[in-house]
Amino acid sequence: MEPSGATASVFACNKLRSAIGDMIKLPSDEQYVSLSQGNWSPTTWKRPSCIAVPETSEQMATIVKIAVQAKAPFAIRSGGHSPNPGDANIDNGILISTTNLSQIDFEDRTKVVSVGPGAIWGDVYTALEAFNMSMVGGRVPSVGVGGLTLGGGLSYLSDQWGMVCDNVLAYEVVLSNGTIVEATATEHSDLFWALKGGSSNFGIVTRFDFTTVPLGQVWGGMQLYTGSEVPKLLAALNEYQSNPNKDLDANLIINTVPGTNDSALLTMVYLRPVERPAAFAPFYKLAPALEQIGLMTLPQLMNLFPGDALPRWAWYVTSFTPSDEAYARIHELLSSGPEVDVIKNITGGSLIGVVEPISASVALAGQARGGNALGLQAVNQTWMEVAVAWWDEADDDVANDALASIFEKVEAVTTELGIALEYKFMNDAHKSQAIIESYGDANVQRLRSIRDAYDPKHIFQSLLPGGQKIPSPQSAPPNCD
């Protein structure tokens, strides 16, 4: 009889402890609890059989070999910022934490930075600032490099340089057989393309080499809007998105907290030290309740964003071409739908809408840099995350059910208006959303072919339960002749 996942994991953990010593943390070890609860949202806290914290790609290869030989399930954690249970943690399996693979090495001659998957973006920006450089990276300093990059990654610099994945020059990858390969535009180029949005379906990345860009002070900051100014803010957003000559130095994001205390936080970023640039003119006619705006570095600006006061989170993501009617109807749904009262009645229950304007230039910049697996259309569009946050584990089911219900209504609005888009952004997605399917049939087939070449036994499908998976081909219809 084949051992169960739990039995196989215990066997593999003991074998790993013998092979690489205290890089393996057992439940009896002092660091085990803090590592097992290292994920951002407690919705993802699990109890793994052991936690592996390798310091080198060779140690990672040993972990993969032993896990595969034992048929032990495993999870991979970079920053652990996804709230989806099982994405970056596991019960009765091996949690591979990349905490110790957090190197940040900048080469001044080539302007290339080599970064480990366990590094967080705030540390990367701090290291690059010493050289007056920055990069196309995450917008939240506490998020990990690995998961965000493999999911595509969105940046305040994306209008000019594409998605975060478009700025990778090389990946060092541990394959399912323990082989370590380098994937670039000229070496293992098929794998290189697949890792640009293909997530953890091909191997474990132990190093990313990124391009960097010079960046000094930027202009921007945050403005808080309340009450009747919030609908005006969304109308201004649509006007901003309607500009046929998009200023590629301008970027923004809006976080809305509708309901009894209707409010919204506008974050504006202009990538040059120009005060009140014309790109944001639609917003200058509004009356913010509070603001913190000025010239500063990009990391300083990102650090202005308030921390998360609530521990438990869930979210979904959708995409559509922008319209005044869509923004107004979705805001009304998030403000007064029956689910809103359900969420308000749980401890700490908060409903959040995150609105991310994406210009056609994001897709065009990615294409100019070699293309990626995302299938992103070169049209102006909006990515919208609908999220719920709450306090108590006892309210998990209520919070998740209410969120699923209201998100279904949001998607019904964009479908009815004929503005829904196929592509969905993996980094903001719920685990139930079929994200890779949204990349389009041709890209899915290509990803499937590359997966079969580099992981022929589908280890990263079968032993790695978390994360977005490449969908299986649909079965052929029955022959009715």
Side-chain angles (χ1 to χ4, degrees), residues 104-109 111-113 124-134 212-216:
I104 305 167
D105 298 316
F106 178 72
E107 172 52 58
D108 195 27
R109 181 182 60 84
K111 309 302 182 190
V112 171
V113 62
V124 176
Y125 297 136
T126 298
L128 291 176
E129 256 190 316
F131 301 92
N132 296 314
M133 302 295 287
S134 190
T212 61
V213 296
L215 187 66

Side-chain angles (χ1 to χ4, degrees), residues 227 230-231 234 256-263 327-341 344 351 406:
V230 176
L234 295 174
T256 67
V257 185
T260 305
N261 300 308
D262 199 4
S263 63
Y327 286 142
R329 289 177 59 179
I330 291 172
H331 183 67
E332 179 66 22
L333 272 175
L334 300 186
S335 300
S336 59
E339 299 87 354
V340 177
D341 287 333
K344 285 194 297 186
L351 185 64
I406 203 164

